[in-house]
Amino acid sequence: MPQFEAGTFDCIVIGAGHAGVEAALASAKMGASTLALTMNLDMIAFMPCNPSLGGPAKGIVVREIDALGGAMAKVIDKTHIQMRMLNTGKGPAVRALRAQADKVLYQQEMKRTLEEQENLTLHQGIVEELIVEQDEVKGVITQIGAIYRAKTVIITTGTFLRGEIIIGDLKYSSGPNNQMPSIGLADSLRELGLETVRFKTGTPPRVNGKTIDYSKTEIQPGDDVPRAFSYETTEFIMDQLPCWLTYTTPATHEIINENLHLSPMYSGMIQGKGPRYCPSIEDKIVRFADKSRHQIFLEPEGRNTQEYYVQGLSTSLPEHVQRKLLESVPGLEKAEMMRAGYAIEYDAIVPTQLWPTLETKKIRNLYTAGQINGTSGYEEAAAQGIMAGINAASRVLGKEEVVLSRSDAYIGVLIDDLVTKGTSEPYRLLTSRAEYRLLLRHDNADLRLTDIGYHLGMISEERHEKFLVKKQMIEEEIERLRQATIKPSEEVQEIIRESEGTELKEPMKAADLLKRPEMKYSQIVHIVPPAEDKPEEVAEQVEIFIKYEGYIQKSMQQVERMKKMENKKIPDDIDYHAISGLAKEAKANLSEVRPLSIAQASRISGVNPADISILLVYIEQGKIAKISG
C-alpha cells in the first residue's frame, strides 16, 4: 500500500477509550498539539463492561482525575442515571461515590468534550505500526498508509491487542463488543522488543428490562441528596433510575457444575489470566463452593434503552447454558437475553518495562496507559491516561515530568504498584493497597491535587481562586475551634447528654470537644457559632481533620520517613549484578525494574531489607559500577 505524509503533531494518542480521552485532553490542555487516533469515532469512551463509575478506591480516583483537571468526573455528573455514596456508616477513608452511567450519553458527552478541546485533532484510523529510529519513537503508520509524525506517542489500546472473544467452544478474533482487534500494532510492539502477557476479562449477559419480574428483586435506589464527582459541578441530576438486587440459587450452581466441561475457563481454551476481584460466575461457584448464593445486580444501561446489565453473572459458557442460568435467578425466569456474555483474551504490556512517568524504558518518548498496562477498570485506565498525557506534553514543552507519590494520590499507588511490582493478573485498585489511605480520602482530593493541576495549566484561574478560598476557610475554622473555649453551661451539658457523652467538669477547647466520637461539628458551632456559616464541604473537612488529627499526624510522620528514602536516588544505569552480597533474586528483580530511589527499590518483590542495606552502603560509598554499553 502506498504511504503518504498525513500530519505532524507534538503528541499522538492511539485509542480513545477511557485512558485515551484523558491522555489526549491533558496533552492538548497543556498546549501540546495532539492527535487522537481511534478505530471508531462512535465508540469513544465506550463502556464494554459495567455501565458504572466509582466505588471503593475507584471513586476516589475519579475525584483525583477531576482535581488534576481531567474530564471523567464532569462527564459522569452530566450523564448518570443514579448516584450513591457507599460506606457512609464507616470512616472517611473508605467512603466512596458510585454512579450508574447512561452509557450512550456518556460516550456522546465525552466525544463532544474532545471535539471542543483546542489543540486536539480527532481522527478515525487504525494504527498498524510505530515509527522508531535509534530507540526513539517518531510517529505512526495507519492501515491505509497514512504517516503521522510526532515527538511523543501514547498507546491506549485497552483490550484490543490481538483480542479474541470466547463463548463456549467458539473463539474468534475481535475487540470488545465485536469491534475490530488490533493485530498489526501488537506485532509491531513485539518486534520492538516489548514483552507482553496474555490476560482475560469478561462480561455478563444483557437482558430486556421489560421481561424482568421486579417483584422478586430488591430495589436499590440512588441517594436522595445531591451528589457529584466533580468539584465544579453545580447542577445535580435528581431524577434517578433504580438498580435491583437478586441472587443466584442452588439451581444456578447446579447448572454451572453440570456444564463446567463446556466452560472455556475449565476446558483449557482460555489461557489468559483473569481478574481475581471480578471473577466469572463459574469461578465463584467453584472457588466458593460453601456459599449457597451470590449477589446479582440488575443495572439499567441508560434512560433510552431497555438493556439491563446482569452484574455478577459474568460468564463465557455457551449461549444455551447462559439462558438456563438466567431462568434460575429470581426475577429473571422469563427474561429475554439481548446479548450473551463473553470472555475476551488480549495482549498486555508487562508494566515493569515502564518508568513511573509511564514512558517505556526501551523506547524513548513512547508511553502506554490503561488496560494495555495490565489493569482492569475504566477509572484505573483514565488515571493512567491523564498522567501519560501530562508527562508526554511535559516532555515536548520542556517542563518537569510529574510523578505522584503513594502519599499524594491513589493514582500514585496504582502506577507505583504497576511499574515497581508488576502484575500477574488484571490489576484492580483497592483501598487495602494504599498504606496512607487516611490521607487519600474521597473528600480531600482537591486539597491534595488542585495546585498540581493549576501549575500544569489544566485548572482555570477561577477554579483555583475558589479552591484557595475554601482552603483558607478550612484553616481559619480549625484554628478558631482550637482557640475557642466551651464552658460547662447547662445548655452545653444538655447537648452532650443528648449525644450520650460525659458531661464537662471544666472548660474545654472546642476542638478537643469535637474530638469526642459522639460530638459533631454542627453541635459545636451551635455552642460557639462562627461569624458566618461555613459551606458544607468546609464543615466536613474541619470535622474530619480535628477528629482524626492524631491518626493523620501519624500517617504524615510515616510519609516523611518514606520521603527520606525517596530522596535517596539510584542511578538508572547501575549494574546490580556487580554488587556482592545482594541475593540472586534481588539482583534479577532490581535489574528488571531499575528503581529510581531506595524507597522504590524497597517495594520490589523479592528485595528484602538486607538487600536494601547493602544497596545503601554501596551507593553511599560512591563506588558505582555502571552497565556497560
Side-chain angles (χ1 to χ4, degrees):
M1 167 134 346
Q3 296 181 346
F4 61 95
E5 295 290 334
T8 301
F9 297 86
D10 290 328
C11 178
I12 292 173
V13 180
I14 304 171
H18 303 280
V21 295
E22 295 293 353
L25 287 167
S27 171
K29 271 188 177 183
M30 287 177 63
S33 62
T34 305
L35 170 67
L37 277 168
T38 178
M39 284 182 172
N40 187 343
L41 287 171
D42 297 324
M43 301 297 285
I44 285 171
F46 178 65
M47 294 182 173
C49 220
N50 269 44
S52 66
L53 289 176
K58 291 166 174 276
I60 300 171
V61 167
V62 178
R63 295 212 108 192
E64 290 176 349
I65 291 166
D66 181 70
L68 288 168
M72 181 175 262
K74 293 186 185 69
V75 174
I76 191 64
D77 285 352
K78 288 180 182 177
T79 61
H80 69 267
I81 55 179
Q82 187 192 103
M83 191 87 78
R84 293 176 74 188
M85 182 68 79
L86 307 181
N87 300 328
T88 51
K90 297 181 180 177
V94 292
R95 289 175 203 154
L97 203 53
R98 185 178 188 271
Q100 288 296 132
D102 185 313
K103 62 191 288 184
V104 173
L105 285 181
Y106 185 89
Q107 283 177 260
Q108 290 171 345
E109 180 63 22
M110 190 63 85
K111 185 179 182 218
R112 188 188 65 78
T113 303
L114 279 125
E115 289 170 343
E116 292 182 357
Q117 178 61 50
E118 288 182 24
N119 298 323
L120 178 56
T121 300
L122 198 54
H123 190 71
Q124 186 164 290
I126 299 173
V127 174
E128 288 280 291
E129 188 181 339
L130 297 177
I131 303 169
V132 175
E133 297 170 7
Q134 296 178 328
D135 296 330
E136 185 172 333
V137 73
K138 297 292 185 179
V140 305
I141 304 172
T142 71
Q143 194 179 42
I144 61 168
I147 298 172
Y148 293 96
R149 309 280 177 184
K151 295 171 185 171
T152 56
V153 172
I154 306 172
I155 304 176
T156 67
T157 48
T159 61
F160 281 80
L161 287 185
R162 290 201 311 123
E164 290 182 306
I165 281 181
I166 305 157
I167 307 172
D169 60 1
L170 172 68
K171 180 188 264 193
Y172 59 94
S173 184
S174 176
N177 206 46
N178 287 328
Q179 292 292 295
M180 286 180 64
S182 179
I183 308 295
L185 183 58
D187 293 339
S188 180
L189 291 176
R190 282 205 305 278
E191 284 165 14
L192 291 167
L194 289 170
E195 186 186 349
T196 61
V197 288
R198 200 79 174 144
F199 279 169
K200 165 256 171 189
T201 187
T203 72
R206 271 71 157 183
V207 299
N208 189 325
K210 290 191 298 184
T211 61
I212 296 171
D213 183 351
Y214 297 102
S215 67
K216 296 180 179 177
T217 66
E218 300 169 33
I219 192 168
Q220 306 284 300
D223 290 348
D224 56 6
V225 297
R227 301 276 191 206
F229 276 103
S230 176
Y231 288 91
E232 291 190 280
T233 295
T234 54
E235 294 180 15
F236 302 91
I237 296 172
M238 299 308 295
D239 173 25
Q240 302 184 77
L241 300 182
C243 296
W244 306 85
L245 172 64
T246 183
Y247 295 88
T248 60
T249 62
T252 316
H253 300 203
E254 190 178 335
I255 292 164
I256 287 169
N257 285 321
E258 286 175 355
N259 290 281
L260 268 183
H261 63 288
L262 299 176
S263 168
M265 288 193 61
Y266 291 90
S267 68
M269 183 180 282
I270 291 178
Q271 300 294 321
K273 191 74 186 286
R276 183 186 318 182
Y277 300 101
C278 189
S280 67
I281 190 66
E282 301 98 286
D283 219 12
K284 283 189 211 170
I285 301 306
V286 171
R287 281 166 51 191
F288 307 108
D290 56 320
K291 279 203 164 189
S292 61
R293 65 179 192 171
H294 295 275
Q295 287 184 327
I296 302 290
F297 288 95
L298 307 175
E299 302 174 343
E301 296 217 324
R303 293 183 188 277
N304 300 311
T305 177
Q306 285 294 337
E307 261 189 278
Y308 271 66
Y309 183 92
V310 187
Q311 189 201 328
L313 208 69
S314 181
T315 181
S316 54
L317 281 162
E319 187 168 327
H320 71 277
V321 180
Q322 293 189 34
R323 291 177 185 276
K324 286 182 184 175
L325 287 179
L326 290 173
E327 289 169 7
S328 71
V329 175
L332 300 182
E333 294 92 343
K334 296 182 179 177
E336 292 175 8
M337 185 164 72
M338 297 176 75
R339 304 185 201 222
Y342 63 84
I344 183 167
E345 278 192 321
Y346 57 95
D347 284 354
I349 296 287
V350 174
T352 51
Q353 298 170 106
L354 307 174
W355 295 117
T357 57
L358 297 179
E359 181 185 18
T360 62
K361 294 171 182 174
K362 193 172 277 288
I363 301 164
R364 187 170 161 77
N365 297 337
L366 176 66
Y367 300 76
T368 60
Q371 278 187 272
I372 189 177
N373 287 344
T375 55
S376 66
Y378 312 137
E379 304 87 350
E380 289 92 335
Q384 294 169 72
I386 195 169
M387 296 313 298
I390 286 168
N391 285 317
S394 296
R395 175 65 57 81
V396 169
L397 301 171
K399 294 184 177 181
E400 192 176 339
E401 293 169 320
V402 178
V403 175
L404 299 177
S405 74
R406 298 180 72 89
S407 57
D408 288 330
Y410 269 97
I411 297 174
V413 174
L414 162 69
I415 294 175
D416 182 64
D417 276 355
L418 289 174
V419 304
T420 304
K421 300 173 184 175
T423 183
S424 58
E425 62 189 38
Y427 175 100
R428 180 178 183 172
L429 200 53
L430 307 165
T431 50
S432 59
R433 296 192 194 272
E435 58 270 53
Y436 308 117
R437 55 187 168 275
L438 186 55
L439 303 178
L440 309 180
R441 304 185 309 274
H442 170 270
D443 59 85
N444 71 350
D446 61 335
L447 296 173
R448 293 183 276 119
L449 300 173
T450 301
D451 274 333
I452 295 172
Y454 173 69
H455 290 301
L456 289 168
M458 293 176 60
I459 295 287
S460 69
E461 197 72 48
E462 181 188 6
R463 177 174 176 179
H464 191 242
E465 283 297 323
K466 285 181 183 174
F467 162 73
L468 292 177
V469 169
K470 172 186 171 180
K471 193 175 174 185
Q472 186 178 351
M473 287 173 74
I474 293 166
E475 289 167 357
E476 288 175 352
E477 182 63 357
I478 289 170
E479 188 55 32
R480 185 184 78 85
L481 295 182
R482 280 175 174 163
Q483 300 302 324
T485 301
I486 292 177
K487 295 177 180 176
S489 67
E490 183 51 39
E491 182 196 7
V492 169
Q493 304 291 38
E494 179 60 30
I495 289 170
I496 293 172
R497 281 195 296 270
E498 284 176 3
S499 301
E500 300 181 356
T502 305
E503 293 184 15
L504 296 186
K505 292 180 180 169
E506 55 188 32
M508 179 182 275
K509 294 297 181 188
D512 291 332
L513 185 57
L514 180 53
K515 282 182 181 177
R516 290 186 175 186
E518 71 275 7
M519 298 304 294
K520 291 186 166 46
Y521 173 79
S522 57
Q523 295 169 306
I524 300 297
V525 294
H526 181 75
I527 301 167
V528 283
E532 56 184 37
D533 289 344
K534 302 300 176 196
E536 190 179 329
E537 58 178 8
V538 170
E540 179 185 43
Q541 286 304 302
V542 171
E543 180 163 337
I544 289 172
F545 183 84
I546 288 176
K547 276 196 180 298
Y548 295 91
E549 187 175 14
Y551 298 105
I552 289 170
Q553 283 178 346
K554 255 185 200 171
S555 292
M556 291 305 297
Q557 287 165 3
Q558 290 174 332
V559 169
E560 287 308 310
R561 284 197 293 273
M562 184 54 72
K563 274 186 181 168
K564 287 177 184 174
M565 290 177 70
E566 296 285 2
N567 290 334
K568 292 184 189 295
K569 300 299 180 188
I570 303 174
D572 66 7
D573 56 353
I574 188 171
D575 186 356
Y576 293 101
H577 293 286
I579 303 175
S580 58
L582 284 181
K584 260 187 182 177
E585 186 182 6
K587 287 180 179 180
N589 293 354
L590 286 162
S591 299
E592 181 190 356
V593 175
R594 288 154 62 196
L596 300 176
S597 68
I598 289 293
Q600 189 186 0
S602 71
R603 295 191 291 269
I604 296 172
S605 302
V607 176
N608 60 45
D611 296 315
I612 294 298
S613 298
I614 292 165
L615 190 56
L616 272 169
V617 170
Y618 187 78
I619 290 170
E620 282 166 7
Q621 284 175 347
K623 299 172 184 176
I624 298 170
K626 302 288 181 75
I627 299 168
S628 60

